[in-house]
Amino acid sequence: MPDTLAPARHRIALVGASIGGSLSPALHEREAVALGLDYTYTLLDLDRLPPGWRLRDAVRRGVTGFNVTHPVKQAVLGQLDDLSPDARTLGAVNTVTVTDGRLVGHNTDHSGFLAGLRHGLPDIRSERVVVVGAGGAGSAVAYALAVTGARVEIADADTERAHALATRLTTAFPDAEITNLPPDLIPTALTRADGIVNATPIGMTGHPGLPFDTRALTPRHWVADVVYRPLQTALLTTAHAEGCRVLDGGAMLVAQAAMTLALLTGAAPDLARMREHLSALTASRTEPIHD
């Protein structure tokens, strides 16, 4: 009889800080069961790892791929052998594949954000958009919007980082209008913008507050948040009270998780089914959601 290959064993780990309450393990593993995969998803919390720990330490222990989250989407770049074109342009990764010992960084955040935006707010006007935050998430959001042809203004407390991101994206999209914006001018920018995206940790569990002055919001604006711990952030509560259409970070979470699962396994996750997984998981939890 011909030899048969054993099913691939996928041992995935999420790397980040303060991720003890992450929904990603349950979200990934529920879909993996539906797909018939041999798949486990564990957490590698930097708060509990020794100084100098590196991704290859986990690979030596059998990890076959990674998700990467705040605050190391940019910090891990030096540990990788290569980057996908999107990840190189963005200067940030959220997924790392391991093939024959080579670690390659990818970014599904940008495509995940765009898929979530189109699903959750399918008929919005998005010709001009303000992005608050120029880190890993902000890079992905600004990139996704630039792909659509939107005029993007990027604000960050670190003005040099915002300028660097705008320059990098302008190089990638020479016909696009992408500029950096001093944070104190966000209210002025909102007078000409269709929507605004919070891509900072502000509003996340442990990072309370609002990421910008919301008094300039009007019912004609839409507001999206990449934070999903909790799903209903102070920003979204405030924006909804002002009559804005809002989108929580769960939309991006599900879409990027599906794309990451496909990248790590070669399988084809069902996005609608994964949205159902998220709804079930959030309905069963009363504590804040982490990732």
Side-chain angles (χ1 to χ4, degrees), residues 62-132:
V63 171
T64 62
F66 300 89
N67 259 168
V68 180
T69 191
H70 177 78
V72 289
K73 291 184 178 184
Q74 295 168 317
V76 299
L77 296 180
Q79 300 183 35
L80 307 179
D81 297 300
D82 202 359
L83 297 172
S84 70
D86 287 348
R88 182 171 288 106
T89 298
L90 288 164
V93 303
N94 77 323
T95 304
V96 177
T97 57
V98 182
T99 306
D100 296 328
R102 285 177 53 80
L103 276 60
V104 180
H106 306 263
N107 195 303
T108 65
D109 280 337
H110 67 96
S111 48
F113 172 77
L114 192 56
L117 184 68
R118 287 172 170 167
H119 174 78
L121 298 174
D123 55 354
I124 56 169
R125 180 184 175 94
S126 56
E127 292 183 9
R128 286 184 176 269
V129 183
V130 177
V131 177
V132 185

Side-chain angles (χ1 to χ4, degrees), residues 203 209-210 225 230 232-239:
L210 294 168
D225 205 328
Q232 189 63 26
T233 61
L235 172 61
L236 296 187
T237 298
T238 301

Side-chain angles (χ1 to χ4, degrees), residues 143-232:
Y143 183 101
L145 292 166
V147 167
T148 70
R151 298 177 179 179
V152 183
E153 295 183 86
I154 305 165
D156 194 284
D158 184 340
T159 55
E160 290 186 5
R161 183 164 71 166
H163 175 73
L165 175 58
T167 300
R168 194 161 65 245
L169 291 180
T170 298
T171 300
F173 302 98
D175 295 329
E177 186 176 321
I178 305 168
T179 57
N180 57 295
L181 176 74
D184 60 342
L185 293 183
I186 290 175
T188 300
L190 280 172
T191 64
R192 57 183 178 264
D194 302 308
I196 187 165
V197 183
N198 173 41
T200 78
I202 299 174
M204 184 187 296
T205 302
H207 301 270
L210 294 168
F212 60 90
D213 185 346
T214 59
R215 289 175 293 182
L217 290 174
T218 71
R220 72 174 183 81
H221 291 115
W222 56 266
V223 179
D225 205 328
V226 304
V227 170
Y228 42 87
R229 49 165 174 156
L231 283 173
Q232 189 63 26

